[in-house]
Amino acid sequence: MRDDLHYDQVRYFGERVKQLVVAGRVEMVDLMNGIFDAQIPARTTMSVSVDSTDYETYGRIRAFWSADRDPAPTSHDQAQSDVVELKSRRTGWPLLGDDGRPQRTKDPDARDGHRSAHNNRASGPFVGYDLTLGVNTRPYGSKTTVPNYIVSANLTPAGSHHAKAAQPMIDLLQARGHTITDVPADRAYNYAKPELWTQRLRDNGIEPVFDLTKKQRTPKPGPIHGTVVIDGTLFTQALPENLRHLPAHSRDMTVEKHCQDPGLMETDQLFCRAGSGAVCCAQ
């Protein structure tokens, strides 16, 4: 690290980088990941936690959402409605973006998204981007504390598929020679189709770590008479009733409390042996 740089030199460098990005000569995502990769300490293995945060656009919103015609977005996995019918005759907004999604500002790449409540800000729709970050965390099952720092990032239009936005970051880290043991993520990723997240990670030798949704915890009739499906795993009706309902983790539950609960322990051990994604205290 040089200690003889002047503030004007740093500011000029930042302005020059901005000019290159605006001119399309440098890709912002590649620039971010290049900086992160240059600072990642040499490690044999790492665990990477992923999550996204909202990043609002600079543009003023020129067409707000209407609950009856144009509800606030929560997912863009489904096809969009006809945006042409949603235009205001007075303003002509929103426009129809190149991707078929509504464009509500002069920022051509910003799209509708939904963000969770944070601090004093209520949850709801916004226009901008999803900034997905990968952070170095302690490998699952390890007791060694590691520093938490960003190792990869991706910037996508708000409302983009979370798993599709995070997977390229994992692929990039592996391509650069980093060995990833596991990837903890919240339910927004766990609920994606297996080929887009959990199975894709396992195919690359990475173990997904996540909690289950209420729907996944609920037993369902199996495809064959006398069977039951729990969290995508097929069992016979011989499965004891006390193992058919997966206990949920409370927000304030400590690891010690979790592993001391007999019901949680035997359920976790059963599903670990079955190859499910449930957290396993037996490890």
Side-chain angles (χ1 to χ4, degrees):
M1 177 68 69
R2 293 181 56 181
D3 56 4
D4 59 341
L5 290 176
H6 297 288
Y7 180 77
D8 288 343
Q9 292 175 300
V10 176
R11 184 175 62 180
Y12 173 78
F13 174 76
E15 289 294 331
R16 180 55 179 160
V17 170
K18 179 180 178 181
Q19 293 173 5
L20 294 174
V21 171
V22 173
R25 298 180 60 184
V26 175
E27 174 61 42
M28 176 60 72
V29 174
D30 293 339
L31 177 63
M32 287 192 300
N33 283 299
I35 294 174
F36 295 144
D37 190 64
Q39 300 184 71
I40 297 177
R43 296 176 57 87
T44 54
T45 60
M46 70 167 66
S47 172
V48 180
S49 294
V50 300
D51 202 358
S52 65
T53 185
D54 55 281
Y55 188 84
E56 289 191 88
T57 178
Y58 63 85
R60 175 172 64 89
I61 298 178
R62 298 172 179 270
F64 287 91
W65 304 269
S66 172
D68 55 342
R69 297 184 308 159
D70 187 19
T74 56
S75 174
H76 287 283
D77 291 342
Q78 304 299 325
Q80 294 293 299
S81 58
D82 191 353
V83 182
V84 178
E85 296 181 358
L86 304 178
K87 282 188 177 182
S88 167
R89 295 182 179 180
R90 181 173 61 85
T91 65
W93 291 86
L95 304 178
L96 181 63
D98 295 337
D99 56 359
R101 295 176 57 187
Q103 177 186 333
R104 301 183 189 276
T105 71
K106 288 188 175 182
D107 185 344
D109 301 316
R111 294 293 182 265
D112 302 346
H114 185 276
R115 58 187 174 192
S116 303
H118 181 67
N119 293 335
N120 292 327
R121 185 191 65 196
S123 63
F126 77 102
V127 178
Y129 301 85
D130 288 332
L131 176 59
T132 305
L133 300 174
V135 177
N136 174 58
T137 52
R138 180 176 61 190
Y140 178 66
S142 172
K143 296 183 179 180
T144 303
T145 301
V146 299
N148 303 128
Y149 49 83
I150 299 174
V151 297
S152 58
N154 195 10
L155 188 68
T156 56
S160 299
H161 194 285
H162 289 289
K164 292 180 180 178
Q167 192 63 56
M169 303 189 324
I170 306 301
D171 295 340
L172 178 62
L173 287 171
Q174 288 191 309
R176 289 180 170 175
H178 300 289
T179 301
I180 303 175
T181 58
D182 54 80
V183 176
D186 62 24
R187 295 173 180 176
Y189 301 86
N190 168 32
Y191 215 52
K193 295 180 179 179
E195 58 268 22
L196 296 178
W197 188 244
T198 54
Q199 190 58 51
R200 175 83 178 276
L201 291 175
R202 288 191 173 108
D203 289 343
N204 291 330
I206 303 173
E207 186 64 24
V209 179
F210 53 84
D211 195 9
L212 302 177
T213 65
K214 182 178 180 179
K215 183 177 180 180
Q216 291 169 314
R217 297 179 188 277
T218 305
K220 301 177 182 178
I224 304 174
H225 179 69
T227 61
V228 60
V229 175
I230 308 176
D231 184 28
T233 304
L234 183 66
F235 297 93
T236 68
Q237 290 290 349
L239 183 69
E241 286 291 336
N242 65 316
L243 295 181
R244 297 190 184 190
H245 301 278
L246 303 182
H249 300 258
S250 67
R251 176 174 296 182
D252 300 325
M253 181 180 290
T254 63
V255 174
E256 291 76 14
K257 184 177 180 180
H258 170 86
C259 291
Q260 289 172 0
D261 190 316
L264 287 169
M265 281 195 66
E266 63 180 348
T267 302
D268 286 342
Q269 292 171 9
L270 171 68
F271 278 86
C272 281
R273 290 195 298 270
S276 172
V279 178
C280 180
C281 280
Q283 294 192 173

